[in-house]
Amino acid sequence: MNKIYIKLLLASLLAVLYSSCNDYLDEMPDNRTEIDSEEKVNKLLVSAYPKSSYILFCELSSDNTDNYGANNPYTTRFLDQLYAWEDVTESDNESPQKVWEACYLAITNANQALQAINDMGNPENLRAARGEALLCRAYNHFLLVNIFCQNYSEQYSETDLGIPYMEAPETELNPQYKRGTVSHVYELIEKDLTEGLPLINDASYAVPKYHFNQKAAYTFASRFYLFYHKWDKVIEYSNKALGSTPTELMRDYYSLAELPKDPLNNISNLYISTSAKTNFLVQTAYSELGTIFGAYYTGSRYSHGNLLAQTETFNQAPWGAYPTNAYDYRRSYILYPNIYAGTNLDKTLMPRVPYLFEFKDPVAQTGWPRTVYVALSAEEALLNRAEAYIMKEMYTEALSDINLWTLNTLHSGRVNPVLTEDIIQQWAQSYKYYAPDAPTPKKKLNPDFVTLAEGSKQESFIHCLLYLRRQEFIHEGMRWFDIKRYGIEIYRREVNGLQIISANNDILKIRDNRRAMQLPKDVITAGITPNPRDN
């Protein structure tokens, strides 16, 4: 393991990361203040969640976006770099650097809370706070290792570079760390997770949905063990999150569909509401997500447009399509995607993230764009469990979970939402594997944790499961992690409407070095070994 040196200057992070967010920082405790009471510990833990989101750069790096060409002016150098899998050099609130800083700042706050609890003798009244701090530390490291490293692999993770795992508050100007390996980081995450889970107590929170309540903690555990390939643990924690009647926790799409669709914020504001039973953990971020994935020209050069919707996502489902009319496929969904089309505008969107604005000066109308997003949900716990069942070849159980999702998402008066093993296999086998000039939803899977025989029942079920996940998490960044986990090669191309102008512009190959986001430049300058890159 490489010896590295990291300059983790908390004061600098506070100044650099949130210099434009003074009002919001007023809510944070002064890190020099002695944390010596339950109230101060709980206040500190409000800042143990990242205030920058990974969603934008993960979504643009995935196959959920197409390039609409140089004639579309609605882009920035930052977006260009993300789409092209280049090392990001531009400054932006949603850059990998900001996420790195936000996660480590959150980890620092979690560690300070843990130190304060230890100094007070681990009293019973801080048991739940200790659990939350451990979960926050595990969660932030989990985000970092899955963004800035290769995916977990039994074959490679013993040598793949990890990220520094911080287990104590900073007391030195230039503390020395080992970057370690991906495998070691996962071991430490599991240690924090298993220690913290039994301590979580929903009664300790005024608004549980903004914290690691029990359902959120169990769902995070199911995600962690899914990525860790421990299928029994995925099922165990998904069961705990969903309980005996998961249908009671599923999203109420009928209520969402009744809202006016213009503006799209009408629906997305309710989608992220803490009153929705399905939303287990809700987070805020300084972000342009609401405009980029909204009915605006912002960022429209790189979009999930009609071609993707027609050939890969919404119109190629196991429950059937409507080829006679380009827009009829939407009607199979209770809440169907919105289509925005015009000159330099081609977006097919689901209302996932609202556009919000925090005013600095209401008179001058200045401030910062914000959003709120669902970090953990009942649907994720359900789909995590379905995937684990497929890995264990428990197809009856997997099919039951898949149909819970389809029955809750699809309009039964327009399609038959009940899938069978035969339907899934026939659907998967009806497609050739994806080619950039002949796109299909079926992309060659290259996982190193399971052998998927071509045309087998298991491969067909995984294709179906990944199709559902792609829809469930569209505009939320999760597709990027599925691409990494399953070794899916993706291509860059230029399109215009339903026409492919050029294909094979670039290919992100299996274990391509660019699958691990490059560390921030200033962190590399401080002495951390950068991720490898091809010359």
Side-chain angles (χ1 to χ4, degrees):
M1 292 185 289
N2 295 324
K3 199 78 170 178
I4 62 172
Y5 301 86
I6 177 172
K7 292 183 178 180
L8 196 59
L9 304 179
L10 182 58
S12 297
L13 278 176
L14 288 171
V16 175
L17 181 59
Y18 296 121
S19 60
S20 62
C21 312
N22 294 329
D23 291 342
Y24 195 68
L25 276 176
D26 288 342
E27 301 173 14
M28 290 186 177
D30 186 338
N31 286 287
R32 295 166 296 179
T33 301
E34 184 178 1
I35 310 300
D36 56 4
S37 69
E38 179 180 4
E39 180 183 3
K40 289 179 180 179
V41 168
N42 287 330
K43 187 177 181 182
L44 181 61
L45 286 174
V46 171
S47 303
Y49 299 84
K51 298 302 187 291
S52 292
S53 166
Y54 59 86
I55 292 176
L56 179 61
F57 62 73
C58 286
E59 193 72 3
L60 262 68
S61 298
S62 79
D63 56 357
N64 280 342
T65 52
D66 269 330
N67 178 5
Y68 282 83
N71 290 333
N72 186 317
Y74 298 104
T75 185
T76 64
R77 177 62 180 155
F78 172 62
L79 298 179
D80 294 342
Q81 290 177 335
L82 291 179
Y83 181 82
W85 307 309
E86 296 176 359
D87 294 349
V88 176
T89 60
E90 303 301 301
S91 177
D92 191 277
N93 277 335
E94 295 172 271
S95 67
Q97 177 176 347
K98 290 299 183 183
V99 172
W100 174 278
E101 292 173 347
C103 285
Y104 274 118
L105 180 58
I107 290 165
T108 296
N109 290 327
N111 282 334
Q112 288 180 315
L114 288 167
Q115 183 63 58
I117 293 169
N118 288 337
D119 291 345
M120 286 185 275
N122 284 309
E124 182 65 25
N125 66 322
L126 287 173
R127 176 182 170 89
R130 179 176 180 81
E132 182 181 10
L134 288 167
L135 262 294
C136 287
R137 187 165 75 182
Y139 178 71
N140 282 283
H141 282 110
F142 178 78
L143 291 180
L144 288 165
V145 76
N146 280 286
I147 291 168
F148 294 99
C149 306
Q150 294 284 358
N151 58 289
Y152 178 81
S153 162
E154 286 84 358
Q155 184 176 353
Y156 298 106
S157 289
E158 290 292 339
T159 55
D160 279 342
L161 286 172
I163 43 95
Y165 204 97
M166 291 177 53
E167 296 183 273
E170 295 303 338
T171 58
E172 301 176 9
L173 182 62
N174 292 304
Q176 298 182 5
Y177 290 94
K178 293 180 178 180
R179 181 168 176 180
T181 65
V182 170
S183 180
H184 185 57
V185 172
Y186 266 70
E187 290 170 5
L188 294 174
I189 293 172
E190 184 175 34
K191 178 177 177 291
D192 281 347
L193 185 62
T194 54
E195 183 182 347
L197 275 170
L199 307 178
I200 297 296
N201 183 350
D202 291 5
S204 66
Y205 303 128
V207 185
K209 297 294 184 71
Y210 288 118
H211 302 268
F212 267 112
N213 56 78
Q214 287 184 328
K215 291 186 182 300
Y218 291 142
T219 302
F220 167 51
S222 80
R223 183 195 295 184
F224 169 73
Y225 284 114
L226 186 75
F227 287 28
Y228 209 10
H229 312 151
K230 297 188 178 184
W231 317 123
D232 288 333
K233 290 287 188 180
V234 177
I235 295 167
E236 174 189 349
Y237 287 112
S238 290
N239 286 343
K240 289 182 176 181
L242 295 169
S244 59
T245 54
T247 52
E248 294 181 359
L249 298 173
M250 303 296 284
R251 192 171 299 282
D252 181 2
Y253 281 112
Y254 283 105
S255 293
L256 291 172
E258 290 174 356
L259 294 173
K261 292 180 174 56
D262 187 16
L264 206 58
N265 258 18
N266 290 327
I267 302 174
S268 56
N269 278 326
L270 186 58
Y271 185 91
I272 54 86
S273 171
T274 57
S275 64
K277 291 182 179 180
T278 186
N279 295 340
F280 292 163
L281 180 64
V282 175
Q283 295 286 276
T284 65
Y286 291 92
S287 173
E288 291 276 5
L289 288 173
T291 54
I292 291 175
F293 300 135
Y296 305 90
Y297 279 91
T298 307
S300 62
R301 177 166 178 177
Y302 306 110
S303 300
H304 177 271
N306 198 21
L307 179 62
L308 278 168
Q310 288 288 328
T311 60
E312 295 185 47
T313 57
F314 295 108
N315 199 35
Q316 296 296 328
W319 46 85
Y322 295 89
T324 57
N325 186 308
Y327 297 147
D328 276 352
Y329 69 88
R330 299 181 300 163
R331 305 296 175 177
S332 60
Y333 303 92
I334 299 169
L335 179 65
Y336 52 82
N338 287 57
I339 295 173
Y340 299 96
T343 302
N344 289 324
L345 183 64
D346 186 349
K347 293 184 178 182
T348 300
L349 305 172
M350 290 295 285
R352 295 286 194 262
V353 283
Y355 173 64
L356 307 173
F357 197 82
E358 179 181 341
F359 284 101
K360 178 183 178 181
D361 185 337
V363 176
Q365 294 289 290
T366 59
W368 306 277
R370 298 286 299 270
T371 197
V372 178
Y373 63 96
V374 179
L376 296 162
S377 68
E379 280 79 8
E380 179 180 353
L382 183 74
L383 295 176
N384 290 348
R385 186 171 70 181
E387 186 174 341
Y389 281 141
I390 296 168
M391 289 300 154
K392 291 173 65 67
E393 300 184 62
M394 299 170 63
Y395 299 112
T396 300
E397 292 81 356
L399 188 62
S400 176
D401 281 350
I402 287 171
N403 281 327
L404 282 176
W405 188 92
T406 57
L407 284 164
N408 190 69
T409 307
L410 304 177
H411 198 302
S412 59
R414 297 168 184 154
V415 292
N416 178 11
V418 179
L419 302 183
T420 65
E421 289 187 11
D422 287 342
I423 289 174
I424 289 174
Q425 287 188 269
Q426 290 169 9
W427 169 79
Q429 293 170 18
S430 69
Y431 293 104
K432 293 182 179 180
Y433 287 118
Y434 174 98
D437 54 353
T440 77
K442 182 180 178 180
K443 297 187 176 179
K444 179 66 175 173
L445 307 178
N446 304 283
D448 58 19
F449 54 87
V450 64
T451 299
L452 296 174
E454 185 174 339
S456 67
K457 180 188 293 188
Q458 191 172 44
E459 190 209 32
S460 297
F461 264 75
I462 288 296
H463 279 300
C464 178
L465 187 281
L466 290 175
Y467 182 85
L468 302 189
R469 287 179 63 89
R470 193 172 182 183
Q471 291 203 23
E472 177 63 36
F473 301 121
I474 196 165
H475 317 320
E476 294 180 332
M478 289 288 286
R479 174 66 176 175
W480 176 243
F481 302 121
D482 289 347
I483 287 167
K484 292 177 67 170
R485 292 192 302 126
Y486 278 92
I488 299 172
E489 292 187 341
I490 56 178
Y491 300 77
R492 287 313 188 209
R493 63 188 183 184
E494 183 179 332
V495 304
N496 182 7
L498 294 176
Q499 182 182 4
I500 299 172
I501 304 300
S502 63
N504 292 313
N505 287 345
D506 196 4
I507 305 173
L508 192 73
K509 297 181 180 180
I510 304 168
R511 283 190 57 82
D512 192 305
N513 284 329
R514 295 172 296 176
R515 289 173 183 256
M517 297 279 181
Q518 187 56 275
L519 275 57
K521 184 177 180 180
D522 59 348
V523 173
I524 296 172
T525 302
I528 294 185
T529 304
N531 286 325
R533 286 293 184 263
D534 296 330
N535 293 328

